[in-house]
Amino acid sequence: MAPGVFCVSLLAVIMAQSVECCVPHSIQAQVPVEVRPGYVISQVPVAGCHIQGQWLTSSDPHFAMRSDGTIVTVDVTTVTAEGRSFWVRGRDGGGRRWRMEVRLSPDPEQEHIQVPMRVPLNVPAQKGAQRGPSEVLRRSKRRWSPLPFSIIEQDIPPFPKDVELVGSDSSVNFTVYYMISGPGVTMSPEKLFSVDRDTGMVRVHYPVDREQYPKFVFTAQVFDRRSGKETDRPLDITVLVEDINDNAPTFSGLLTFSVLEQCKPGTEVGEVKSTDKDEADTPHTKIRYTLLTGGQFFTIGSHSGLITARTSTLDRETQVVHAVTMEIRDMDGAKNGLFNTATATITLLDINDNPPTFRETTYKATIKENRADVLVLRIPVDDKDEEKTPNWNARFVITQGNENGNFRIDTDHETNEGLLYVVKPLDYEKGKTVKLMISAQNEAPLVGMAGTWLSIPVDVSVGDEDEGPEFTPPNMVIRVKENTPNGTLLSTYTALDPETKSSKGIKYYTKFDPGSWIAVGETTGELRVANTIDLESPLVTNGAYTITIKAVDESKKSGNGNITLLIEDVNDNVPKIVPGTDLTLCEEEEGQMGSITIEAKDADLSPYAGPFNFMLPEGHDGKWRLRDIQNGSAVLEQVVEMARGVYAVPVRVTDLQDKGGVQVLSVRVCQCLGGECVAKRSSVSVGIWGVLAMLLAFLLLLLLCLLFVFYCTTKGEKIYMEDCSGGMLLKSNTEAPGDEVKSAALLIVPSTGVAVDTVDSSMKGAGLVGLLNQNGAGCPAPGPPLIGQQTINLNRESVYQTSSRQDFLTAQGQSFYSTGQYGGGNFYTDTTFLKQSQASSTLSALHTWKTNGLYLGKKLVYFGDESEERYADDVARAYDYEGEGSPAGSVGCCSDFGDQDNLDFLDSLGSKFKTLANICMDKEEEI
């Protein structure tokens, strides 16, 4: 016998013995004489013995097995005095079958214990548990309950093969026959199972694949042969297909992995995954992993499939890709197990474990002196690491010999070579050879080794050339005070020939001197002041002034030298008030004094500049004072209120060395808007713009008066008045049909024989009435003759206005005039002021007009505002029918042009005009 077979057999025996030791051969239980459904009999140790609960079955249909090994009743069962027994069957984790006998004996004391019939088989119940009477259900009909059957997949012929008997308890009382239907019988796969009608033997007719049909559940029925009726309820029959190892395991997932080179042993590389179609958790699917190749570098977990590094010597530069062959075998790797093989690809990732190496042990190059930005040498290197990565890209460093910065080295990223350049000219006279030390490095640091970066020496030979003169030093610094007198010798700046080390035959010229401040001696190189040196000049930057001198030898070769003048300051400037001496002071509110800030600047530097001292000189007018004096500013403030205007204010400003003087400020005091003076009437003078503004206003007023006169003046008809003893109705104009009275012009007629001109031609036909009365007689008394003419216009407020002066002659021959306003009591002569009583007796015409003019003026304004259809009934209308009973009768077309000297028409004016006349007379009498 082979050693492998012997080990497997021994293991099976040990497992079988362990199961037999774990599960007892039989158990004894006492139960009531009449056991109700749901009563717990006992429990099989399922968990401790690794028994699969789904394979637990009972040989007695009155008892059922739960997955946890509990034995419960499913129907009312009677246990006689002789007892009752049945078998419990099952399988362990390895697929081996076992059975245990259950023996029941009656317990008279538990005879009346009742347990509900409907107890879930998946919920354990306590043994002997008692429920209330309300929970006791009706007794169900006794039924048949065969155990689950099982067949082996891919069973070998001959077929058909008996599986198991299906029997019903009703066969005791009836002659029965059996029928089955469902999957495997009448449904796909059809005709796999059949049943013997008489015996109830179930048979299988051909092999079946468990991976396709792991279980069949079909229905069994039992019928009475005589009546054809079912003698029991239909029962579901379960047929389990037992697995055989007929499927080899297969790989799943990718088989491509990567790991860093020189990794530590035990570093995870990747996990191999596999599957098996056989029944899970059985030896048929227990897979073992094995490496067939590559075991010297890698290992694989026998059950996990995890690949790890076996050694730290993995070198990408030696072998980049490793092909590892693997085997997976079920039955835990047993010889009879099924297997598959595959190749996994493991790629080693690069690390920087190889520094760049030089192809030569030393390099040499040659360069002429005075050359710059010239490629001197290309330095190739080799690197075993992966190309075009930071582990391969070279970086060159000059570690020695470049203290003066004459060289620069770069990298050619295509060829990975070092490029050595001269960036500053070399001097043959200072050194014929330059020795450099160059190191080659990578962008990534070295790992995985104790090595260092490599270096090589590079010798650069300098070729000699005929050069121009050289100044020593090449940059000279000279300190000089500003304003140094012209011709002063500052220094001597000479050059030497590099070959002869002599200054013979060298001439000097000024190459750059923007201010022409320095003169250089052509043959001596002496530097003398040629023009005033000024620190405050814009040519000076931070107190320094730069000059370039050129030296030319006999071979016309030249060299340059730079001179920097550091100029020292002197106190040659006084502080000045900025931005100027013309200042504007804005008026403050009443009771506050105005002020303005003044600032001073000094072009000198410290200590010849600020802080400045501000003061008012002696003998100032006392109207100003200084306060809040700071380093460079002070506040000039009024002491007394001042009229607007321009004031001259002297202020003395000195620097820190008390150098300075008096500066006269022109301060303008004015009202400001946005910081600027605005025009306003000044208490001192009007100014030219004020005069122009007044002239413009006067011209506009004159133009307005001319327009007014042109508008209001018309051609008037002159009316001559005779002496009369009463009031008269005077015709002012002729009204034509359709004319409308717009306004009225009242003429003051003081005496008979004086001509009165109408003023407004638009008043034609308005019927102006002039009432003149003095002592109630209706006619004016003789008074002073009227000199000139006066026009009085009525506005809607009944205020008359005069457009010319009225001159009267008194009895004594003196002239006077009226102010032309209602109620005016002031009348003036040329030299004498007249009283009110004297004016009243003299100007009766004015009083008459004053009384009646108001009434007539209001009337006329009202007429002008109203439309024609709304005129009052008492208004005289031209060419209109006066109505029946009118004293005047019908007015004819020519009634308005009657005899002007005939006054009989006054008797027929009507009651309204008589009332108007009475009002006028009463008013005059009151005066």
Side-chain angles (χ1 to χ4, degrees):
M1 180 182 295
V5 176
F6 175 76
C7 292
V8 172
S9 302
L10 180 62
L11 180 62
V13 172
I14 294 174
M15 293 181 64
Q17 291 179 355
S18 64
V19 172
E20 293 178 356
C21 294
C22 182
V23 180
H25 292 283
S26 64
I27 59 175
Q28 182 74 30
Q30 286 187 340
V31 297
V33 176
E34 186 177 5
V35 183
R36 301 294 182 181
Y39 187 86
V40 177
I41 303 299
S42 183
Q43 187 170 11
V44 181
V46 175
C49 298
H50 305 286
I51 300 174
Q52 295 179 340
Q54 63 269 28
W55 293 105
L56 295 175
T57 58
S58 172
S59 62
D60 192 333
H62 298 284
F63 302 94
M65 299 298 301
R66 295 179 180 158
S67 59
D68 60 351
T70 304
I71 307 173
V72 296
T73 60
V74 297
D75 203 348
V76 178
T77 303
T78 302
V79 180
T80 62
E82 290 79 10
R84 186 171 180 167
S85 63
F86 60 91
W87 292 93
V88 174
R89 296 184 178 89
R91 289 199 316 183
D92 60 9
R96 285 166 293 279
R97 299 177 181 272
W98 58 268
R99 69 178 183 173
M100 179 184 70
E101 184 181 10
V102 179
R103 300 173 183 174
L104 304 179
S105 60
D107 186 358
E109 296 181 358
Q110 302 183 22
E111 182 177 358
H112 302 291
I113 295 180
Q114 297 178 350
V115 181
M117 296 171 58
R118 297 181 181 177
V119 177
L121 296 181
N122 58 346
V123 178
Q126 296 181 358
K127 181 177 180 181
Q130 185 176 0
R131 305 297 174 93
S134 61
E135 298 178 352
V136 178
L137 304 179
R138 294 182 180 180
R139 179 177 180 181
S140 63
K141 181 179 178 182
R142 190 173 183 184
R143 60 171 302 183
W144 52 320
S145 179
L147 294 174
F149 305 149
S150 63
I151 61 174
I152 299 175
E153 71 165 329
Q154 304 295 350
D155 201 0
I156 60 176
F159 288 101
K161 292 184 177 182
D162 294 341
V163 178
E164 193 68 73
L165 283 174
V166 176
S168 173
D169 294 342
S170 62
S171 60
V172 178
N173 301 321
F174 300 96
T175 302
V176 298
Y177 67 91
Y178 300 91
M179 293 184 64
I180 59 175
S181 62
V185 183
T186 58
M187 298 172 61
S188 179
E190 296 180 359
K191 299 180 181 180
L192 175 63
F193 297 101
S194 66
V195 64
D196 190 308
R197 290 171 56 90
D198 298 329
T199 63
M201 176 62 71
V202 176
R203 295 185 176 90
V204 59
H205 292 269
Y206 54 84
V208 64
D209 187 4
R210 189 205 67 87
E211 285 70 42
Q212 186 177 5
Y213 301 105
K215 180 174 66 173
F216 294 94
V217 179
F218 52 84
T219 303
Q221 293 175 289
V222 58
F223 298 91
D224 184 10
R225 287 183 178 273
R226 295 181 181 179
S227 63
K229 296 182 179 180
E230 288 189 75
T231 60
D232 208 338
R233 288 182 296 176
L235 179 68
D236 290 339
I237 304 298
T238 301
V239 178
L240 303 177
V241 181
E242 295 185 3
D243 183 43
I244 63 172
N245 191 19
D246 59 340
N247 291 281
T250 58
F251 290 92
S252 62
L254 298 176
L255 295 178
T256 302
F257 309 102
S258 61
V259 67
L260 291 174
E261 63 173 332
Q262 296 187 11
C263 61
K264 297 180 179 179
T267 302
E268 293 185 4
V269 178
E271 183 179 358
V272 179
K273 295 182 179 181
S274 62
T275 59
D276 196 320
K277 294 181 180 180
D278 292 326
E279 185 177 359
D281 300 326
T282 65
H284 301 161
T285 56
K286 192 171 185 179
I287 301 173
R288 178 178 290 274
Y289 298 86
T290 307
L291 290 182
L292 301 181
T293 61
Q296 70 275 25
F297 300 112
F298 306 98
T299 61
I300 188 171
S302 59
H303 292 96
S304 64
L306 182 64
I307 299 177
T308 57
R310 187 185 189 92
T311 178
S312 61
T313 59
L314 292 172
D315 189 5
R316 191 202 68 86
E317 287 71 37
T318 302
Q319 184 177 353
V320 178
V321 178
H322 292 263
V324 178
T325 304
M326 302 173 296
E327 178 191 84
I328 50 176
R329 184 182 293 267
D330 59 16
M331 300 298 292
D332 198 17
K335 292 292 185 180
N336 59 343
L338 303 179
F339 67 92
N340 258 322
T341 60
T343 301
T345 301
I346 302 176
T347 302
L348 299 184
L349 302 179
D350 185 41
I351 63 173
N352 193 17
D353 56 340
N354 294 281
T357 58
F358 296 97
R359 297 178 183 176
E360 303 291 340
T361 57
T362 184
Y363 288 94
K364 295 182 179 181
T366 302
I367 181 68
K368 290 287 186 179
E369 64 174 339
N370 302 322
R371 302 288 178 87
D373 297 323
V374 178
L375 177 62
V376 178
L377 183 65
R378 300 180 72 96
I379 303 175
V381 293
D382 296 319
D383 197 320
K384 296 180 180 179
D385 293 320
E386 186 176 358
E387 294 186 4
K388 308 299 181 181
T389 65
N391 301 332
W392 179 83
N393 296 334
R395 184 173 65 89
F396 297 89
V397 180
I398 302 176
T399 57
Q400 294 181 11
N402 194 32
E403 289 76 11
N404 295 328
N406 296 96
F407 299 92
R408 182 188 83 241
I409 189 166
D410 297 332
T411 303
D412 188 335
H413 298 291
E414 294 298 326
T415 62
N416 215 26
E417 294 176 320
L419 307 177
L420 183 63
Y421 291 90
V422 173
V423 294
K424 290 175 60 178
L426 296 172
D427 190 352
Y428 175 82
E429 287 70 26
K430 293 182 179 179
K432 298 180 181 180
T433 304
V434 180
K435 295 184 177 295
L436 303 176
M437 186 65 69
I438 296 178
S439 172
Q441 305 175 6
N442 291 127
E443 295 178 358
L446 285 173
V447 294
M449 59 176 296
T452 58
W453 305 117
L454 303 178
S455 299
I456 58 168
V458 176
D459 296 335
V460 180
S461 300
V462 182
D464 186 24
E465 286 187 348
D466 187 12
E467 300 170 301
E470 295 180 354
F471 285 92
T472 305
N475 297 287
M476 175 180 283
V477 178
I478 303 175
R479 293 185 174 273
V480 59
K481 289 186 176 182
E482 63 174 337
N483 301 326
T484 299
N486 293 347
T488 302
L489 177 62
L490 300 180
S491 181
T492 300
Y493 194 34
T494 58
L496 298 176
D497 190 317
E499 282 76 21
T500 62
K501 304 298 181 182
S502 171
S503 300
K504 183 178 180 181
I506 298 177
K507 295 184 178 181
Y508 304 94
Y509 305 94
T510 301
K511 185 176 182 180
F512 177 77
D513 184 2
S516 300
W517 289 355
I518 303 299
V520 59
E522 182 177 355
T523 58
T524 62
E526 293 180 346
L527 303 177
R528 297 181 179 272
V529 178
N531 287 297
T532 302
I533 299 175
D534 185 9
L535 177 62
E536 290 75 30
S537 171
L539 303 175
V540 178
T541 303
N542 296 327
Y545 179 78
T546 302
I547 303 170
T548 302
I549 304 300
K550 181 179 180 181
V552 181
D553 60 11
E554 294 178 349
S555 62
K556 304 302 179 181
K557 294 186 178 295
S558 63
N560 297 326
N562 297 320
I563 301 172
T564 301
L565 297 182
L566 298 181
I567 304 174
E568 299 179 0
D569 189 27
V570 297
N571 196 5
D572 58 341
N573 294 280
V574 297
K576 297 290 184 180
I577 295 178
V578 295
T581 57
D582 293 333
L583 304 175
T584 300
L585 188 147
C586 296
E587 289 182 335
E588 300 289 340
E589 298 179 359
E590 186 175 354
Q592 296 183 4
M593 297 300 172
S595 62
I596 187 172
T597 300
I598 58 176
E599 295 184 1
K601 297 290 184 181
D602 195 329
D604 293 327
L605 303 177
S606 180
Y608 306 116
F612 303 127
N613 183 26
F614 297 85
M615 65 179 65
L616 295 176
E618 297 181 359
H620 62 86
D621 55 7
K623 295 181 179 180
W624 306 88
R625 65 184 173 192
L626 294 170
R627 63 177 177 85
D628 296 339
I629 300 176
Q630 304 295 332
N631 290 339
S633 65
V635 176
L636 179 64
E637 184 182 43
Q638 292 175 277
V639 178
V640 297
E641 293 187 2
M642 302 179 185
R644 299 173 186 170
V646 180
Y647 298 87
V649 182
V651 178
R652 186 173 186 273
V653 186
T654 57
D655 59 17
L656 189 60
Q657 307 299 328
D658 200 27
K659 185 176 181 179
V662 176
Q663 303 178 46
V664 179
L665 306 180
S666 178
V667 181
R668 180 181 297 277
V669 179
C670 64
Q671 184 183 15
C672 297
L673 178 63
E676 299 291 337
C677 286
V678 297
K680 190 175 180 181
R681 181 170 56 88
S682 176
S683 60
V684 178
S685 61
V686 176
I688 184 170
W689 293 108
V691 174
L692 292 176
M694 289 191 296
L695 289 176
L696 180 59
F698 178 75
L699 291 176
L700 291 176
L701 180 61
L702 181 59
L703 180 60
L704 180 61
C705 292
L706 292 176
L707 291 175
F708 179 80
V709 171
F710 177 77
Y711 177 81
C712 297
T713 305
T714 60
K715 293 182 180 181
E717 294 183 3
K718 296 185 179 180
I719 301 174
Y720 296 91
M721 301 178 59
E722 300 293 341
D723 292 338
C724 62
S725 59
M728 295 179 62
L729 179 62
L730 300 181
K731 178 175 179 296
S732 65
N733 208 334
T734 302
E735 288 183 342
D739 286 355
E740 179 182 357
V741 178
K742 298 180 180 177
S743 62
L746 300 182
L747 304 179
I748 300 175
V749 185
S751 62
T752 307
V754 180
V756 181
D757 295 336
T758 58
V759 184
D760 191 358
S761 60
S762 65
M763 301 306 298
K764 185 178 181 181
L768 182 64
V769 179
L771 297 179
L772 304 176
N773 190 12
Q774 185 174 7
N775 296 320
C779 289
L786 177 65
I787 301 175
Q789 179 178 305
Q790 182 185 31
T791 302
I792 301 174
N793 295 327
L794 287 178
N795 54 25
R796 295 189 180 184
E797 289 76 15
S798 301
V799 179
Y800 80 95
Q801 299 174 347
T802 62
S803 59
S804 64
R805 195 178 73 174
Q806 298 172 352
D807 295 337
F808 299 89
L809 294 177
T810 64
Q812 292 79 14
Q814 295 178 343
S815 64
F816 68 94
Y817 62 91
S818 169
T819 57
Q821 296 181 353
Y822 288 131
N826 296 329
F827 299 88
Y828 298 87
T829 67
D830 292 342
T831 58
T832 306
F833 175 78
L834 299 181
K835 296 182 180 180
Q836 179 70 32
S837 60
Q838 294 173 345
S840 298
S841 61
T842 307
L843 301 177
S844 58
L846 290 176
H847 291 180
T848 302
W849 176 85
K850 187 191 311 181
T851 303
N852 300 295
L854 284 172
Y855 179 77
L856 293 176
K858 292 180 179 179
K859 252 322 194 182
L860 293 174
V861 172
Y862 173 76
F863 292 160
D865 290 342
E866 295 293 333
S867 60
E868 185 177 356
E869 61 272 17
R870 295 182 58 185
Y871 281 169
D873 293 337
D874 58 350
V875 177
R877 302 179 183 176
Y879 310 103
D880 197 10
Y881 175 68
E882 298 294 338
E884 294 182 0
S886 174
S890 178
V891 179
C893 63
C894 299
S895 60
D896 287 343
F897 302 97
D899 187 4
Q900 296 182 357
D901 298 332
N902 189 2
L903 302 178
D904 293 338
F905 70 95
L906 295 175
D907 297 332
S908 60
L909 290 178
S911 60
K912 294 186 180 294
F913 281 92
K914 289 180 180 181
T915 303
L916 178 60
N918 291 334
I919 292 173
C920 294
M921 289 187 295
D922 293 342
K923 190 71 175 178
E924 187 64 28
E925 289 177 357
E926 292 177 358
I927 296 175

